[in-house]
Amino acid sequence: MCKYSVVVPAYNEEANIGLLYERVKKVFASLGESWELIFVNDGSRDRTLETLQKLAQGDPHVKYLDLSRNFGHQPALTAGLEHASGLAVISLDCDLQDPPELIPDMIQKWRDGADIVYARRTNYRRDNFLKRQGSRLYYRMLSRFTEVDIPRNVGDFRLVDKRVLAAVNEMREGSRYLRGMVAWTGFSHDFVDYERPDREAGESQYSLMKLIKLGMSGLFNFSSLPLQVGFVLGIFSILFGFIFLGYMSWDVLVRNSKYEFFKFLVVVMFIFMGFLFMLMWLLGEYVGRIYNEVRKRPIYLVKEKGNFGKRR
Ligand code: UDP
Ligand code: MG
């Protein structure tokens, strides 16, 4: 067992691995603590695996997992996290957008008592207008609609204590949104601010589709709001139908107006549609509950035990 683990998912990153390794090594040399660097090769199509094999031969600190195919960033990161043995585990990207030089600051905050230390980016200048505004809107939606307080402007560059990691490893949900799952544990957290540089070499491996998929996981895994849409639609539809029916009836009975029969039908349809929406919401509630069950998140997490004999 070592004190610190660094976990790095890598997809087509042959050009960055060497430099990342050098920089991580330097950081830990100055800290003088035991460490391991775990790479996860996420089905790369370039020479990422060969580069890792060579590196691991030359330095026992370097470990690697080779996934059978490209599973995506979050599953790859999950694999690495489950193989980490450190007391504190740091996850970062392979492209050096998450500078390893921040690790000592993160470790300091951890020593000061934070169980989760997020690296929070302070700049969005480099992204184009659309990505910047999109991400701002997304984070706003996320904090409004989800029951978990997921911090803004943090990605997957963070340090977690091993008990946080144990809790995350227990969550067996398939579509993973790790930053949400880490926040969900509710352990104490702190931030280290930094300016996020551009990717060192290669192209972003996050296509728009992958980004949207990740975003959806965040919204759907941490909120049951989408399921309640049917409820709201149903109420409105029924209300609308009854108001119009009332108005038409009054018009016919009191003012002797004449309506064609199908107009009544249209209004009655609104009421029925409302009931349909409500039924869909009911189904949604059950689906939501089933989802909660199959996701198998722990029911509770204990932070500390008093007088139970041996601690933890
Ligand atoms: N990555 C991965 N599998 C994928 C896509 C990305 O393991 O299918 C890794 C990638 O090698 C990098 C990290 O996830 O270490 C973040 O990806 P990237 O830098 O392309 O995302 P961006 O910074 O552009 O959002
Ligand atoms: Mg990147």
Side-chain angles (χ1 to χ4, degrees), residues 113-130:
D115 287 311
I116 307 165
V117 184
Y118 298 102
R120 180 169 53 188
R121 60 191 294 190
T122 55
N123 64 319
Y124 272 90
R125 281 196 316 273
R126 287 190 182 84
D127 292 339
N128 63 38
F129 180 79
L130 218 69

Side-chain angles (χ1 to χ4, degrees), residues 97-112:
Q97 286 193 290
D98 305 333
E101 289 72 25
L102 240 58
I103 292 175
D105 286 349
M106 298 166 89
I107 288 177
Q108 192 49 50
K109 299 247 158 138
W110 173 66
R111 285 194 181 128
D112 291 346

Side-chain angles (χ1 to χ4, degrees), residues 73-189:
H73 175 220
Q74 301 284 307
L77 188 52
T78 302
L81 289 175
E82 288 186 352
H83 285 79
S85 64
L87 296 178
V89 178
I90 300 126
S91 51
L92 46 83
D93 284 355
C94 199
D95 56 3
L96 295 160
Q97 286 193 290
D98 305 333
E101 289 72 25
L102 240 58
I103 292 175
D105 286 349
M106 298 166 89
I107 288 177
Q108 192 49 50
K109 299 247 158 138
W110 173 66
R111 285 194 181 128
D112 291 346
D115 287 311
I116 307 165
V117 184
Y118 298 102
R120 180 169 53 188
R121 60 191 294 190
T122 55
N123 64 319
Y124 272 90
R125 281 196 316 273
R126 287 190 182 84
D127 292 339
N128 63 38
F129 180 79
L130 218 69
K131 200 169 172 187
R132 213 163 54 213
Q133 293 306 320
S135 110
R136 188 164 296 164
L137 184 78
Y138 176 74
Y139 281 119
R140 193 167 301 161
M141 257 174 41
L142 201 62
S143 69
R144 155 118 12 131
F145 294 145
T146 55
E147 296 101 50
V148 182
D149 203 7
I150 301 172
R152 286 188 190 196
N153 300 340
V154 306
D156 282 307
F157 185 17
R158 71 181 155 254
L159 175 151
V160 295
D161 186 86
K162 79 169 199 304
R163 56 183 173 168
V164 177
L165 187 63
V168 170
N169 287 345
E170 247 184 82
M171 303 184 202
R172 303 315 300 166
E173 55 213 71
S175 62
R176 297 178 86 75
Y177 188 66
L178 281 162
R179 62 196 79 161
M181 291 158 66
V182 167
W184 180 90
T185 63
F187 284 100
S188 62
H189 65 268

Side-chain angles (χ1 to χ4, degrees), residues 163-293:
R163 56 183 173 168
V164 177
L165 187 63
V168 170
N169 287 345
E170 247 184 82
M171 303 184 202
R172 303 315 300 166
E173 55 213 71
S175 62
R176 297 178 86 75
Y177 188 66
L178 281 162
R179 62 196 79 161
M181 291 158 66
V182 167
W184 180 90
T185 63
F187 284 100
S188 62
H189 65 268
D190 208 338
F191 298 95
V192 172
D193 287 317
Y194 77 116
E195 285 219 355
R196 196 161 207 242
D198 284 336
R199 162 182 264 283
E200 190 65 30
E203 301 243 306
S204 170
Q205 303 298 338
Y206 252 99
S207 58
L208 188 64
M209 261 331 274
K210 277 186 183 168
L211 205 61
I212 290 175
K213 246 173 93 178
L214 180 72
M216 299 278 252
S217 291
L219 272 179
F220 286 107
N221 292 11
F222 288 91
S223 149
S224 52
L225 189 95
L227 294 173
Q228 277 141 26
V229 170
F231 181 73
V232 177
L233 278 179
I235 294 274
F236 272 108
S237 189
I238 290 173
L239 228 80
F240 186 82
F242 269 117
I243 287 172
F244 262 81
L245 192 66
Y247 172 78
M248 280 165 116
S249 309
W250 173 79
D251 214 17
V252 169
L253 293 175
V254 179
R255 296 211 307 212
N256 274 328
S257 309
K258 284 208 162 45
Y259 284 96
E260 281 163 76
F261 182 63
F262 84 89
K263 287 189 178 160
F264 272 101
L265 274 185
V266 170
V267 167
V268 170
M269 284 281 278
F270 263 96
I271 297 172
F272 274 107
M273 243 159 53
F275 284 120
L276 270 181
F277 280 132
M278 298 290 259
L279 271 177
M280 278 163 73
W281 159 70
L282 266 179
L283 282 179
E285 274 301 316
Y286 280 107
V287 173
R289 272 151 220 263
I290 293 169
Y291 180 50
N292 248 336
E293 295 298 328

Side-chain angles (χ1 to χ4, degrees), residues 61-85:
H61 287 118
V62 177
K63 301 170 182 175
Y64 65 87
L65 299 168
D66 183 31
L67 303 189
S68 57
R69 65 167 168 89
N70 178 245
F71 282 89
H73 175 220
Q74 301 284 307
L77 188 52
T78 302
L81 289 175
E82 288 186 352
H83 285 79
S85 64

